[in-house]
Amino acid sequence: MRNRILLKKLFLTTTSICIAALGAKAQTNKATSSTARDSVSAANVDSLIKNKVNLPFGNIVTPNNTTASTQAVYTPSLIKQPVVNVLNALTGRFAGLYTQQNSGQPGLDAVSLTLRGRTPLILVDGIPRPLTYIDLEEIESVTVLKDAMSTALLGVRGANGAILITTRQGTANKQIISFTAQTAFQRPVSMPKTLNAFDYATLRNEAIDNEVRAIPTFDQRLRYSANDLQLFQNQTDPYGHPDIDWRKQVLKSSAQLNRYTLNVTGGSNNVRYFATLEHLFQDGLFKTNSVNSYNTNSYLSSYLIRSNIDLNITPKLTGGIHLFGRIYNLNEPGATTSNIFNSFLTTPNNAYPVLNPNGSFAGTPSFINNIQGQATNSGYLQTYVRDILADFYVKRTLNELTPGLYIKGVVSYASNLNEVINRSKPVVTFQRLVTGGVESYGNALVTQTDQLNTNTISNISGLPNQGQGRQSYLEASLGYNRTFSGIHNFQAVLLANSDNNVYGGNIAYNIAGFASRASYSYKEKYLAEFALSYNGSNYYGTGSQYKFGLFPVVGLGWNIAKEDFLKDNSWLNSLKLSANYGKTGNDNPGYFVFTQRIFDGASAYFGTGAAANQTLAESTLANPNITFEKANKFNVSLQGSTANNRLGFTIDYYNNQFSDVLTQRGRNTALIGNFYPNENIGRYRFTGFDLQLSWQQPVNNDFSYYIAANAGTQQSKVLYIDEPTQRYPWMQRTGQKVGQAFGYQAEGLFQSQADINNAAQNGVATVLGYAVQPGDIKYKDLNGDRVIDRFDQTTIGPKGPLITYGADLGFTYKFVDFSALIQGVANYSIYLNGNSYWEFQNNGLGQAYEEQLGRFTPATAATATYPRLSIGTNVNNQLFSSYWYRKADYIRLKTVQVGFTLPMRYANAVKLKSLRVFATGTNLVTLTQLKGGRDPENYNGLYPIQRLINLGVNVKL
């Protein structure tokens, strides 16, 4: 209630400010033709020839006055994708940015990001805050900050790069009111293909036969009889021999997403404003029961408001009030979405019927949770997320002291609340028993209890907020920007800031310090740049020498195209070579890990009495010398344009060496009776190239086209991790790729008993104590001791650089526009295992999949794509090995959009500035080598990624 009142006040404040702005008396500039802008913005590429470069803390510089490596996309590109999270709109658009979407669950479908091998920091309007579930139309640009110079002002938080989201501000133009209505239909891109009841039963019998050959005493009670197989095949006994495709039973084929956005922008020379309101509803895939008076589906409903007001208070004093509020509601079945999808992976189609003949939910002692009941009769969980944010700034020019000098102050406050209402209840199930033709039901398999009705403030998995929190940010800066005689340009800024964050009941986490940046350019030909940060955080010991750090960065640039020997050329428009090198930090201290803490331990009984079981236990060993991680980063960049700025290109090479990386000491021992702490001992290196190319071609007044392509490589190397001395060199982790998988090298399958006998005679190794059968995986015995054990583990999976790429292309013809985004990943593999891939897990009762139809049998020995079947855990075939790594390179048609803009004369006839209708498709086609309904991003049977067909209309008044 309190947050709703605050949001209401925020709305009223925004409305009043906008009304005041609309009534302000001032001269206005001639408005830009909205229709013309719409018709080209849908097709124009994000130019590599930047007019400005956004840096942290609101610092804006011109490209010729910085050596920073950045890349930006703007509103027209972002709004082409009907996504909920802005991070999902970045896929395929940035060189060197790798994204992966693991889930399509409403509200929890954000991609994970890797920028040059590391997870970047998120900033909104220059301030670090993980606010990404926002209206795409309120965003002016998203800038990727890649190198040391672009993140220099972040200091102790700049090592991993950053994603800078800049929201829109008003302009001194006539008022424009824009309304966009969109509706999208969502369908799963793919889901694992399970076996029907007959195939499942047939294959499980085969697996049992295989086990009996190896272990004659194997329990055969899991076997299906010939009569069972016949009844599964002809489906004449739906209660005793069911065949339920649980995904089709519980999930809808499609779901809807609706979005409505209203924004207004404009202003005068004295007041400029931008305000937006948005409502979004994203429905989930679960079917519901009309009997319920509440919704059990998984869905997201959000309401958002933003107001950015910028004022010229006096000729020398400007200021701004930027307000944001959001109500973000999530809903799901009481059994939870994750548990239901896990049930899909552990429950075969013939486990039990949906309902018993008497209408009760069916189950068995092995499957007590009925999936239909979990989805529709387990109550519901609701999560309410409330965010309120307010940024205030004032800026005063000090030209009376010296031209180009200014001072600026920023105050920001943000508050968030995650409230979880749990109204879940158990699903009572019964097993149907038929004895002598008499049907009966035993006791309930699940005990009936009262429905829960709890209200808690807690963290939600997948969301960045920590239950309840707040952030207060303060900044003061002194800046200078002046050009002398049109030759010498000086730019400088000195700032001090404090970022204070409170998460739940934790002690506040504060990062504070100073930062500065200065650049000098001569005739815009030669550029020298220097930046320095000195900051740290309070999560280190009082008086610790490791609490603060100094982070310097230097850069040099050469605008080659401005040299006299090139100034008269007609083919080269710009060419700039730049490089920078510096030290940055990554603050990753943990929660007061420098001090040893003692907690209540597990119960242990000594003596008698009430206090007999009171014990204490140490937490992980303290590390009093913990400090921030560091990175020495080098970047060299060549960028330019030619052919009258039609062709643009940028090539970057980076070499980033990380030191003091927090990791657990490799040479630790369990003899101390506790866990070793993370220590600043790791050293890694990340290298690679980023490439951008763009071509824009206006053919005539009616037709133009463009294409923009990008690619990036990410390679890494472990330089040091205090690794213990390995017995064999192939076991060494040092020198390998960061995160490189180690396991057994598979060499195909044993083809026959003769193959096994011949292998034994030739000393081919096996797992100790395991009786090999035809169809089992054979492994490479690296040390030649005829035993497969940990000494035969070596690198598996891809070893070369990860390659990401994307291409954005489109055209406009008269009033029609078209655009398409293609993205892909190369040298990428995934590891398939567990309930989502292996057969008959869950104690031999689990699911089986289409992939198992290609299993080894004597008849298919030469063509088998899967080992011989087994029940439960197989100590040989389910080893962590190269056999289960699958090449998952893919190319995805990410987005296609077609739009039509009503000719201006018709729009003006109905008093509109413009009217545009459009259709968008997302995740339309994916080309990959993976089989069995496996998506290369979402391959473990989680909530599937969605394919969207979106229809929309935009009206401007």
Side-chain angles (χ1 to χ4, degrees), residues 16 52 96 180 417 496 612 862:
S16 62
K52 64 178 182 178
T180 305
L417 174 69

Side-chain angles (χ1 to χ4, degrees), residues 469-491:
R470 60 185 182 275
Q471 177 192 33
S472 56
Y473 176 82
L474 300 174
E475 177 191 311
S477 61
L478 179 67
Y480 182 69
N481 186 355
R482 188 175 179 183
T483 301
F484 294 89
S485 304
I487 297 176
H488 308 281
N489 177 266
F490 294 90
Q491 291 186 9

Side-chain angles (χ1 to χ4, degrees), residues 150-184:
S150 62
T151 61
L153 297 179
L154 294 170
V156 78
R157 289 190 285 187
N160 294 347
I163 306 294
L164 172 58
I165 300 170
T166 303
T167 60
R168 292 171 61 184
Q169 294 179 302
T171 57
N173 286 322
K174 290 182 179 180
Q175 175 184 283
I176 297 176
I177 299 174
S178 173
F179 175 73
T180 305
Q182 302 178 69
T183 185

Side-chain angles (χ1 to χ4, degrees), residues 71 75 94 164 226 283 363 372 389 443 485 635 718 864:
Q71 185 183 349
T75 309
F94 291 98
L164 172 58
D283 204 13
Q372 176 78 27
L389 182 148
N443 295 327
S485 304
N635 189 92
V718 176

Side-chain angles (χ1 to χ4, degrees), residues 442-706:
N443 295 327
L445 300 172
V446 176
T447 303
Q448 176 70 61
T449 59
D450 293 336
Q451 180 171 342
L452 292 178
N453 188 11
T454 61
N455 185 313
T456 57
I457 306 299
S458 63
N459 182 39
I460 305 105
S461 177
L463 292 179
N465 296 338
Q466 303 291 317
Q468 185 173 13
R470 60 185 182 275
Q471 177 192 33
S472 56
Y473 176 82
L474 300 174
E475 177 191 311
S477 61
L478 179 67
Y480 182 69
N481 186 355
R482 188 175 179 183
T483 301
F484 294 89
S485 304
I487 297 176
H488 308 281
N489 177 266
F490 294 90
Q491 291 186 9
V493 63
L494 173 65
L495 64 86
N497 58 9
S498 174
D499 187 8
N500 194 71
N501 294 269
V502 178
Y503 304 111
N506 289 347
I507 296 175
Y509 175 50
N510 179 262
I511 293 180
F514 302 90
S516 63
R517 175 194 166 273
S519 67
Y520 165 74
S521 68
Y522 175 73
K523 291 185 177 181
E524 293 190 335
K525 292 182 184 178
Y526 313 112
L527 171 65
E529 189 174 16
F530 175 75
L532 182 70
S533 294
Y534 179 75
N535 53 11
S537 75
N538 65 325
Y539 274 14
Y540 303 97
T542 303
S544 171
Q545 59 178 316
Y546 308 107
K547 192 168 185 177
F548 287 86
L550 189 66
F551 306 97
V553 185
V554 295
L556 294 173
W558 178 25
N559 283 307
I560 304 172
K562 292 186 178 294
E563 291 289 351
D564 292 341
F565 61 85
L566 286 174
K567 66 179 182 180
D568 295 327
N569 80 88
S570 58
W571 58 274
L572 184 65
N573 302 112
S574 66
L575 184 64
K576 176 184 174 183
L577 176 66
S578 62
N580 62 68
Y581 177 80
K583 176 183 176 182
T584 57
N586 180 40
D587 196 57
N588 185 26
Y591 189 69
F592 292 97
V593 297
F594 63 86
T595 184
Q596 189 65 53
R597 288 177 286 170
I598 306 296
F599 297 99
D600 292 341
S603 297
Y605 292 91
F606 300 100
T608 59
N613 62 343
Q614 298 300 308
T615 64
L616 297 175
E618 281 187 323
S619 65
T620 298
L621 290 178
N623 179 5
N625 297 321
I626 191 170
T627 186
F628 34 79
E629 301 172 341
K630 305 172 184 68
N632 292 325
K633 305 176 73 172
F634 172 74
N635 189 92
V636 59
S637 178
L638 179 67
Q639 55 184 307
S641 62
T642 185
N644 198 23
N645 284 325
R646 292 189 183 96
L647 176 65
F649 63 88
T650 297
I651 304 172
D652 281 83
Y653 166 76
Y654 64 91
N655 189 322
N656 303 333
Q657 182 164 316
F658 286 75
S659 60
D660 289 342
V661 177
L662 284 171
T663 185
Q664 192 178 75
R665 188 170 294 277
R667 282 181 277 213
N668 58 43
T669 175
L671 295 177
I672 64 172
N674 201 343
F675 296 102
Y676 273 65
N678 284 332
E679 299 179 66
N680 298 102
I681 57 175
R683 288 189 288 114
Y684 302 145
R685 178 182 290 126
F686 296 86
T687 58
F689 290 90
D690 293 343
L691 172 66
Q692 303 171 60
L693 290 172
S694 69
W695 176 269
Q696 300 182 81
Q697 177 67 56
V699 178
N700 52 46
N701 291 334
D702 291 334
F703 180 72
S704 66
Y705 68 92
Y706 76 90

Side-chain angles (χ1 to χ4, degrees), residues 113-396:
L113 300 179
T114 302
L115 176 62
R116 294 184 171 181
R118 305 286 286 185
T119 302
L121 181 70
I122 305 296
L123 304 100
V124 179
D125 288 333
I127 301 173
R129 50 171 63 109
L131 187 66
T132 58
Y133 286 89
I134 56 180
D135 174 21
L136 297 182
E137 290 194 31
E138 73 176 273
I139 298 173
E140 175 194 278
S141 65
V142 177
T143 305
V144 174
L145 311 178
K146 300 181 178 182
D147 61 354
M149 186 59 73
S150 62
T151 61
L153 297 179
L154 294 170
V156 78
R157 289 190 285 187
N160 294 347
I163 306 294
L164 172 58
I165 300 170
T166 303
T167 60
R168 292 171 61 184
Q169 294 179 302
T171 57
N173 286 322
K174 290 182 179 180
Q175 175 184 283
I176 297 176
I177 299 174
S178 173
F179 175 73
T180 305
Q182 302 178 69
T183 185
F185 300 93
Q186 309 169 102
R187 296 178 64 92
V189 169
S190 63
M191 289 187 287
K193 297 179 180 179
T194 59
L195 298 180
N196 61 41
F198 174 75
D199 287 339
Y200 176 88
T202 301
L203 264 60
R204 201 172 81 177
N205 279 357
E206 182 182 312
I208 293 171
D209 291 340
N210 292 336
E211 300 288 14
V212 170
R213 279 192 290 270
I215 308 173
T217 58
F218 185 83
D219 188 351
Q220 300 189 48
R221 286 177 294 177
L222 297 176
R223 178 184 294 280
Y224 294 101
S225 67
N227 184 56
D228 290 330
L229 294 177
Q230 183 177 359
L231 291 173
F232 283 133
Q233 188 171 32
N234 61 33
Q235 299 185 3
T236 56
D237 182 18
Y239 292 108
H241 294 78
D243 187 0
I244 311 297
D245 186 328
W246 285 108
R247 282 185 169 84
K248 289 184 179 180
Q249 176 66 31
V250 172
L251 302 180
K252 299 183 293 185
S253 60
S254 66
Q256 201 161 2
L257 186 153
N258 296 321
R259 186 198 302 262
Y260 306 96
T261 306
L262 174 67
N263 61 63
V264 56
T265 185
S268 65
N269 291 331
N270 291 331
V271 180
R272 297 161 301 283
Y273 57 89
F274 171 81
T276 185
L277 293 168
E278 183 196 64
H279 169 56
L280 182 143
F281 182 84
Q282 183 182 16
D283 204 13
L285 291 174
F286 291 120
K287 296 177 182 178
T288 58
N289 191 335
S290 59
V291 174
N292 294 328
S293 60
Y294 48 85
N295 194 342
T296 58
N297 196 3
S298 175
Y299 69 76
L300 159 68
S301 178
S302 72
Y303 299 86
L304 178 150
I305 180 172
R306 173 176 285 279
S307 167
N308 289 350
I309 309 296
D310 299 280
L311 311 168
N312 289 352
I313 303 171
T314 71
K316 297 182 179 180
L317 182 65
T318 58
I321 305 172
H322 297 175
L323 306 176
F324 174 86
R326 182 182 67 171
I327 298 175
Y328 189 83
N329 298 339
L330 297 172
N331 193 84
E332 64 178 334
T336 74
T337 302
S338 60
N339 282 340
I340 293 173
F341 273 83
N342 184 65
S343 294
F344 290 149
L345 303 178
T346 58
T347 309
N349 292 11
N350 63 357
Y352 49 80
V354 177
L355 299 175
N356 291 314
N358 65 353
S360 62
F361 284 112
T364 70
S366 299
F367 298 96
I368 63 174
N369 293 314
N370 184 287
I371 301 180
Q372 176 78 27
Q374 287 182 308
T376 62
N377 282 68
S378 63
Y380 61 96
L381 283 168
Q382 289 185 333
T383 302
Y384 296 96
V385 181
R386 304 290 183 261
D387 292 291
I388 295 176
L389 182 148
D391 296 339
F392 306 91
Y393 79 90
V394 291
K395 181 178 180 181
R396 170 68 156 80

